[in-house]
Every structure is written in C-alpha cells, then in structure tokens.
Amino acid sequence: KKFHLGMFEIGKPLGKGKFGRVYLAKERTTGFVCALKVLHKSELQQGKVEKQVRREIEIHSNLRHPNILRFYGHFHDSKRVFLILEFAGKGELYKHLRKESKFPEWKAAQYIAQMAAALKYLHKKHVMHRDIKPENILVGIHGEIKISDFGWSVHAPNNRRNTMCGTLDYLPPEMLKPGSQDNFYNEKVDLWSLGVLTYEFLVGEAPFEDTPIMTQKRIARGEMTVPGFVSKEASDLIKRLLVLDPERRISLDEVQKHPWIVKHCIKGERATQRSSEAKES
Ligand SMILES: COc1cccc(-c2nc(Nc3cc(C)[nH]n3)cc3ccccc23)c1
C-alpha cells in the first residue's frame, strides 16, 4: 500500500536533517519527482526556529538558479510543515567529500565556480546565505552542485542579534566580534565562507579547525596555512577570500575571472573547440 499525502506519493526516506526528515516524493497526476521535507511544528517551537523557517520559505521560494535547490512550494497540516523541494539525485556534497577525503583541483574549481555564480545571483537580490558549508550543498544527477538550506539566510545588511549559527569553522571574523550593537555585516560574509569551502575541498579539513576557543582565535587573526600540495593559483584565491577586512575580499566577479577558476572551467568556445578537436581525431 503506497503512502499518499494529498497529491503526493511518498517514496523512500532520503535521510534526516536537523529539524526534519526528507522523503523522495512523486506528484500523482504528473509523476513529477521531488523531495519532501517534513518539519514537525512541535520541534520548531522547541527549537525556537519558526521565524527562521518562515524566513527560509519566504526567501527560498523567490529564488531561481541552476546552482540553488529549487523550492516549489509548501503546505502544512495541524502538526507538520511540508516543503516541496527539487530532488538532487547525488545527495549531500559533504558525504562525497568525506568519502574522497579531498577533491582534485579541477573538481574543486568547478564547484567553486558554480558556488560563485549562485552567490552572485543571491547577492544581486541582497540575500546573504550566511551558512555556506559542505553540509548545505547537494549534488544533482549531472554532478552540478546546488545550495540547499536557507535557514540562516537573511536580507543584507544585518546586525548579529540571534545566537551563533552551527559550526564555527565557517564563521567570518566580523560575525565573531563581541556584540557591539553597531556590529553590522553584509553579504561579504559569504566570500569568507567561500574561501573556507575552497580550502576544505582541496585540503579535506577546514582552515581554522581546532578546539572552539582556538578556532575563534585563529579566525579573528586569520591564522591559517595552505599545505604545499595545493597549487599556487588555488592558494592565491584562498588568500584573497580569507581576508579579515570584508571590504578587501576579492569580489565574486574577480573569483570567476581568477586564473585558477579559468584554468579548470571550460566555458563556451573552449568547450566547443575541445569537442570539435575530438571530432577531428
Ligand atoms: C542526512 O542525510 C540526508 C538528509 C537529507 C537528504 C539526503 C539525500 N538527499 C538527496 N537529495 C535531495 C534532498 C533534497 C532536500 N533534495 N534533494 C539525495 C540523497 C541520495 C542518497 C542519500 C541521501 C540523499 C540525505
């Protein structure tokens, strides 16, 4: 007996996140496959995250980009909230990262180029994600990556009122400063996190990974070293993103034109040139 929920046929559970379970689902009339995220209102109340979920829905439902997981809609019953999300066939990026321990430079560069494109789109809408990390990225069936969780995204600028986000590893120095009320930060926080992500893709661990106290100290001082096996171009990009002063971080446009990205990301004519060469051979 298949389990139906209104117009959806519920398939296998894909896994569970922090506040809910995710199921494969099929829309009954069209056969459209999606992922259904089920959140229990009681758990949201306990975790004091209802406002965050409402903001996630409001922000995520207005986003359309190939490297951002599509949000199709939501509905709720007395006990649960259901988010209708795009299904990404290859699951969580951080599982691939742990399995491969670190990514080859060409793969890391392609992922970072896709992240830069998604962040450029978000920042143009004055949305900052604030929680860029491998756990919040899914992989589509063709290997493309999709930013998923928007639970911590807000409209920029913002001053840190709410409690700390998840892991400290990805927090930029400006979000760690003692709570002076004029502690405003903007979307450049995502540039710092992009630097941490680039490092973690290439090295297999975060640049400031340490005990919580030491991690905060090392972030505040920008204290990290890039191992010798990382190419000098990749190391250059990491160092231009992990800059303490948010205003001095490399821009997303410059990331997309950076030699390390250009070298590994076949675009347009070079791709066709490659394929035409292949045809000749
Ligand atoms: C904790 O492990 C979790 C949790 C939630 C989802 C997955 C998972 N997700 C997706 N795709 C998704 C998920 C969403 C919201 N859209 N597309 C695919 C997978 C494939 C193999 C294993 C696991 C998968 C894992």
Side-chain angles (χ1 to χ4, degrees), residues 102-117:
K102 57 185 192 298
F103 294 141
E105 298 225 352
W106 63 269
K107 187 185 278 195
Q110 291 187 7
Y111 284 162
I112 295 303
Q114 293 171 47
M115 287 301 292

Side-chain angles (χ1 to χ4, degrees), residues 12 14-17 21-22 34-37 69 85-92 94-95 138-139 148:
K12 67 171 183 164
L14 289 167
K16 60 184 179 20
R21 292 171 186 282
V22 183
C34 59
L36 207 63
K37 191 169 187 179
L69 196 76
L85 297 162
E86 176 184 0
F87 172 62
K90 290 195 172 159
E92 299 176 283
Y94 93 91
K95 282 195 185 145
L138 290 166
V139 187
S148 55

Side-chain angles (χ1 to χ4, degrees), residues 80-98:
R80 298 164 295 186
V81 178
F82 301 89
L83 308 183
I84 309 165
L85 297 162
E86 176 184 0
F87 172 62
K90 290 195 172 159
E92 299 176 283
L93 181 67
Y94 93 91
K95 282 195 185 145
H96 296 273
L97 181 55
R98 293 291 172 268

Side-chain angles (χ1 to χ4, degrees), residues 7-9 25-34:
M7 60 221 252
F8 292 101
E9 205 174 285
K26 186 155 69 170
E27 207 278 326
R28 287 164 69 184
T29 42
T30 61
F32 181 75
V33 171
C34 59

